[in-house]
């Protein structure tokens, strides 16, 4: 009994000591591509924070012209300036994009197409998680509306530009949570039953199915597409759930940083020769 009590007493201390090594093990996936991107154009949704911000920063560091597609333009401008100072790349631009409103999505696409002749990298990164039940401006349940349908429409509107700019890539940020997802066609809007956690899982499954079908339809076009699981990352994604914020805090020593979480997206956006894996799903542990 004394031994058990002693173990329980020492366990938090041992975990604290071991945390750096455990985090290193869990965060081993790193994009090692040396590809540079001068003359290339990239769009990253949700790039004013978290994984999106780190992804945009790395693309800018490599010389790309990067559009931060954000709902909060003011915050986006601050991040753009930060990236410009850090990378020396002044071609970091902010444009308004609210994925919960198809009018905003269409306005963004219209403005981008008028402004740019090319689009080489589209990273559909933005998302919401465990929201209280609510609907988008067009009446879609928020998770499926923002995480899937919003990006679906955005990709559709930019598809011809991607084809014209080939070789080009689309990266859809999904999650390991897709394993718990199901597509309930009789309850897509969550009106018959709703669970915030499962709604997120359903939308992440939709991301993967979209990626696979898009790859099939674009075969031979020069546009390839990939879905990714970034790992468990300390970001603002859990802002809607007190429980998830508490869990993230409790296990903070083992959770990846946003920079580490961006590696899978960067791997799929930059790695040469990845075209043969068009439509595949990549998880963080393979981003090496």
């Amino acid at each position: 009994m004394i031994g058990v009590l002693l173990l329980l007493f020492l366990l938090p201390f041992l975990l604290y000591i071991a945390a750096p090594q455990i985090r290193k093990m869990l965060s081993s996936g790193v994009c090692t591509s040396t590809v540079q991107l001068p003359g290339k154009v990239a769009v990253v949704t949700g790039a004013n924070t978290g994984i999106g911000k780190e992804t945009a920063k790395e693309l800018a560091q490599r010389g790309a012209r990067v559009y931060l597609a954000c709902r909060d333009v003011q915050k986006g401008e601050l991040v753009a300036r930060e990236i410009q100072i850090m990378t020396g790349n002044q071609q970091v631009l902010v444009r308004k994009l609210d994925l919960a409103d198809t009018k905003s999505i269409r306005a963004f696409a219209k403005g981008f197409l008028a402004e740019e002749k090319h689009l080489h990298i589209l990273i559909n990164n933005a998302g919401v998680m465990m929201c209280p039940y609510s609907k988008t401006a067009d009446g879609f349940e928020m998770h499926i509306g923002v995480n899937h349908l919003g990006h679906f429409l955005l990709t559709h509107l930019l598809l011809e530009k991607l084809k014209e700019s080939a070789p080009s890539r689309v990266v859809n940020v999904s999650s390991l949570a897709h394993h718990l997802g199901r597509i309930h066609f009789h309850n897509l809007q969550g009106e018959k039953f709703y669970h915030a956690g499962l709604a997120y899982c359903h939308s992440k499954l939709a991301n993967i199915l979209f990626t696979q079908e898009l790859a099939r339809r674009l075969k031979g076009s020069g546009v390839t597409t990939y879905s990714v699981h970034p790992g468990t990352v300390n970001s603002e994604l859990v802002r809607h759930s007190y429980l998830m914020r508490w869990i993230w805090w409790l296990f903070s020593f083992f959770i990846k940083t946003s920079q580490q979480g961006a590696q899978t997206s960067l791997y799929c956006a930059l790695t040469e020769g990845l075209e043969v894996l068009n439509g595949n799903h990549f998880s963080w542990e393979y981003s090496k």
Side-chain angles (χ1 to χ4, degrees):
M1 178 62 71
I2 295 176
V4 173
L5 291 175
L6 183 62
L7 180 62
L8 289 175
F9 177 77
L10 291 175
L11 185 59
F13 176 73
L14 294 174
L15 286 175
Y16 178 81
I17 295 297
Q21 291 303 318
I22 296 174
R23 173 183 274 182
K24 183 178 180 180
M25 179 183 69
L26 294 176
S27 308
S28 59
V30 176
C31 175
T32 58
S33 170
T34 58
V35 167
Q36 297 299 304
L37 302 171
K40 302 297 185 180
V41 179
V43 170
V44 183
T45 68
N48 60 347
T49 188
I51 295 174
K53 174 184 174 182
E54 295 299 330
T55 302
K57 185 192 301 180
E58 182 62 29
L59 297 176
Q61 183 69 55
R62 293 170 185 253
R65 181 175 171 88
V66 183
Y67 282 80
L68 313 185
C70 309
R71 184 181 59 176
D72 188 336
V73 174
Q74 185 176 7
K75 188 174 181 179
E77 292 288 0
L78 293 174
V79 169
R81 185 58 186 152
E82 178 186 333
I83 293 175
Q84 289 169 351
I85 292 171
M86 292 183 68
T87 65
N89 184 349
Q90 299 304 305
Q91 298 187 90
V92 181
L93 309 169
V94 180
R95 297 293 181 268
K96 171 78 172 182
L97 174 65
D98 183 354
L99 288 161
D101 186 346
T102 57
K103 289 182 179 179
S104 176
I105 298 169
R106 292 183 184 279
F108 170 85
K110 182 178 180 180
F112 178 85
L113 294 174
E115 195 171 358
E116 288 291 342
K117 295 181 179 180
H118 301 287
L119 175 58
H120 304 95
I121 300 172
L122 171 61
I123 299 187
N124 291 321
N125 165 83
V128 294
M129 179 181 181
M130 296 191 73
C131 300
Y133 185 76
S134 57
K135 291 186 176 182
T136 68
D138 302 277
F140 302 119
E141 187 276 317
M142 191 61 70
H143 291 89
I144 198 73
V146 170
N147 296 351
H148 170 56
L149 295 176
H151 282 126
F152 176 93
L153 176 60
L154 177 65
T155 305
H156 170 71
L157 294 172
L158 299 178
L159 202 51
E160 289 305 313
K161 189 65 70 179
L162 285 161
K163 291 179 180 178
E164 293 169 7
S165 308
S168 54
R169 296 184 180 184
V170 178
V171 179
N172 296 316
V173 178
S174 181
S175 168
L176 185 68
H178 80 272
H179 286 295
L180 297 177
R182 298 291 183 273
I183 305 300
H184 298 291
F185 289 102
H186 65 288
N187 188 45
L188 282 178
Q189 311 314 325
E191 294 173 327
K192 296 182 179 179
F193 57 88
Y194 179 77
H195 184 284
L198 289 177
Y200 174 75
C201 298
H202 302 334
S203 70
K204 295 292 101 179
L205 174 60
N207 291 153
I208 292 179
L209 297 176
F210 170 48
T211 300
Q212 294 174 347
E213 180 60 18
L214 186 62
R216 187 185 71 81
R217 296 193 181 204
L218 294 179
K219 187 176 182 180
S221 69
V223 182
T224 52
T225 181
Y226 315 90
S227 60
V228 304
H229 164 54
T232 305
V233 179
N234 184 14
S235 71
E236 292 183 8
L237 187 63
V238 297
R239 62 188 180 275
H240 293 292
S241 170
Y242 175 79
L243 175 62
M244 293 302 294
R245 280 185 282 133
W246 182 79
I247 292 174
W248 256 232
W249 174 82
L250 187 63
F251 293 97
S252 59
F253 286 111
F254 312 108
I255 292 177
K256 297 169 71 175
T257 65
S258 293
Q259 182 181 28
Q260 292 166 338
Q263 298 306 305
T264 324
S265 297
L266 291 167
Y267 179 86
C268 288
L270 300 171
T271 302
E272 295 177 297
L274 209 62
E275 290 78 9
V276 294
L277 297 176
N278 184 24
N280 279 20
H281 180 66
F282 288 77
S283 191
W284 60 270
E285 61 264 30
Y286 302 118
S287 305
K288 299 180 180 179

